[in-house]
Amino acid sequence: METIKVVKTAHYVPSKVVTNDDLSKIMDTSDEWISSRTGIKQRHISIEENTSQLCTNVAEQLLEKSGWDAESIDLLIIATMSPDSYTPATAALVQGNIGAHKALAFDISAACSGFIYGLNVAEKFMVSSGSSCKRVMLIGGEVLSKVIDWTDRTTAVLFGDGAAGVLLEQNEEDSSCFVSSSLHTYGEQGDKLEAGKTDALSSFPTAGDHKIKAFSMSGRDVYKFATHKVPVSIEEAVEKAGLTLDQIDYFVLHQANSRIVTQIAKRLDQSLAKFPMNIAKYGNTSAASVPLLLDELVSNKAIKRGQIIAMSGFGGGLTVGTQIIKY
Ligand code: ACO
């Protein structure tokens, strides 16, 4: 039986760091408000590097770490809610940048659940395509700073830019890293979190008429959604796997707000020590946040081969997703 393994992980964040104190100089906010409500202390903000560039940096690191030739990649997926453009897909740009000429490349739009949805799609592609899809590169990347209204303190303080990803490979070993998953979309709540919204105009627009709207979010509704739906999604995936919550070594959750993570740990009756966080350094990086945390945990050897990891994302859509892997 063909099985799949997470071969390498990598991340990249732009060099410019913006602290809460920096933000308090340009808007009516404070380090005390931001850190006590969210756990965020700073974020990395991109100056001139677009999403495809952050993702290309991650892609190059993944190739270097693995020693793989770019031409050996069969599928390249980018999860993003802040693509460079409507078309071409950011994945197509990255494919061209690294010379992965054989790879089929497309984007997934599922906001902060994007990386988890991407894992699911990658697994299904690999299983159904057999030997024609053996090597997959999956990256979550965002330049959210370009879609934020920097005069809106209720959203501007929450987000950061970054990219992170994994290489997946079919191998001959006897157990797949993919254990079970649970994904849900709640489209009727789509208006609770929007970015890049466009209007269908009554006239025939010409250059200059086209406008896209900045990020907007009903924070309280998303908070309620996350603290209710993420535990359900984790429990569903754990049950499907025939595991118990106690058998999960780490819960690698989307980093939107440390209070959300704490609340989810409480609802699942699991020790907060099993819920690592890095939101203080990066803020909410949407589709990049789960792989960014995964890469840090793998790099500092907190996560070891054979451990059971539950990864969950939630956000725009509204979407929620959990993927359990045996790392
Ligand atoms: N600095 C200072 N004061 C602020 C700020 C700020 N940056 N932002 C809001 N306030 C004020 C508000 O104006 C309000 O003042 P008022 O009481 O005088 O009206 C007060 O603080 C409380 O505001 P709330 O919005 O009620 O604050 P809340 O406690 O709900 O926290 C937060 C807001 C942090 C956004 C929280 O609701 C949250 O984390 N929600 C979840 C967001 C999330 O998880 N998003 C993830 C999805 S992201 C994705 O998919 C891309």
Side-chain angles (χ1 to χ4, degrees):
M1 199 184 92
E2 300 280 20
T3 60
I4 303 165
K5 186 178 173 189
V6 177
V7 176
K8 292 290 171 198
T9 61
H11 81 265
Y12 171 73
V13 287
S15 58
K16 185 171 177 59
V17 172
V18 176
T19 65
N20 292 346
D21 286 334
D22 293 333
L23 288 182
S24 71
K25 292 180 190 126
I26 58 168
M27 64 184 79
D28 183 14
T29 190
S30 65
D31 176 48
E32 199 284 319
W33 193 97
I34 302 168
S35 49
S36 66
R37 301 263 175 157
T38 69
I40 299 165
K41 298 293 284 178
Q42 62 172 50
R43 70 285 295 141
H44 290 250
I45 296 295
S46 175
I47 307 294
E48 290 184 354
E49 285 175 300
N50 213 335
T51 307
S52 64
Q53 284 154 302
L54 304 192
C55 293
T56 297
N57 188 302
V58 172
E60 286 168 349
Q61 285 186 58
L62 287 169
L63 292 177
E64 197 181 317
K65 282 184 175 187
S66 62
W68 289 2
D69 186 336
E71 302 252 10
S72 72
I73 307 290
D74 299 305
L75 175 64
L76 197 166
I77 303 176
I78 303 284
T80 185
M81 59 172 276
S82 52
D84 289 23
S85 49
Y86 297 152
T87 197
T90 301
L93 297 174
V94 175
Q95 189 249 28
N97 288 345
I98 64 171
H101 301 120
K102 267 176 53 200
L104 176 64
F106 58 85
D107 291 355
I108 285 188
S109 173
C112 310
S113 308
F115 181 76
I116 307 296
Y117 277 44
L119 283 173
N120 215 266
V121 170
E123 182 201 9
K124 301 217 163 22
F125 239 99
M126 292 175 99
V127 169
S128 65
S129 310
S131 61
S132 65
C133 186
K134 278 191 165 300
R135 289 185 164 182
V136 176
M137 181 180 276
L138 167 65
I139 299 172
E142 307 282 9
V143 175
L144 296 168
S145 57
K146 71 186 176 189
V147 293
I148 278 167
D149 173 0
W150 286 96
T151 65
D152 174 12
R153 67 177 183 173
T154 67
T155 55
V157 303
L158 303 174
F159 297 96
D161 300 332
V166 295
L167 289 177
L168 302 168
E169 185 177 35
Q170 298 220 26
N171 59 65
E172 304 300 315
E173 290 169 26
D174 61 357
S175 70
S176 173
C177 73
F178 286 93
V179 177
S180 69
S181 63
S182 157
L183 309 184
H184 294 285
T185 302
Y186 301 87
E188 69 285 357
Q189 295 190 66
D191 62 349
K192 302 286 191 258
L193 197 161
E194 294 176 334
K197 193 175 178 183
T198 55
D199 288 324
L201 301 174
S202 54
S203 57
F204 297 101
T206 54
D209 294 338
H210 304 90
K211 294 201 170 61
I212 64 163
K213 296 203 172 99
F215 189 99
S216 71
M217 175 173 72
S218 169
R220 290 230 164 145
D221 290 326
V222 178
Y223 188 99
K224 261 189 237 149
F225 172 82
T227 52
H228 285 86
K229 299 296 186 194
V230 177
V232 173
S233 159
I234 292 174
E235 280 169 339
E236 270 180 15
V238 165
E239 197 186 320
K240 271 194 208 169
L243 295 169
T244 64
L245 288 166
D246 291 342
Q247 289 175 287
I248 306 291
D249 292 297
Y250 284 109
F251 297 86
V252 176
L253 302 195
H254 170 47
Q255 303 286 291
N257 184 322
S258 58
R259 287 190 300 154
I260 293 178
V261 177
T262 306
Q263 192 63 31
I264 291 169
K266 213 184 257 175
R267 278 183 193 251
L268 294 174
D269 196 21
Q270 291 291 299
S271 159
L272 193 55
K274 289 168 74 174
F275 292 75
M277 289 190 240
N278 62 6
I279 190 169
K281 285 193 285 180
Y282 303 113
N284 179 346
T285 57
S286 189
S289 95
V290 169
L292 205 168
L293 181 55
L294 180 71
D295 180 48
E296 287 198 338
L297 294 166
V298 166
S299 302
N300 68 24
K301 300 191 169 37
I303 289 183
K304 298 173 193 67
R305 288 286 175 197
Q307 285 186 318
I308 308 285
I309 315 297
M311 296 186 278
S312 297
F314 59 88
L318 296 177
T319 54
V320 64
T322 296
Q323 176 70 55
I324 297 181
I325 62 162
K326 184 174 179 195
Y327 182 74

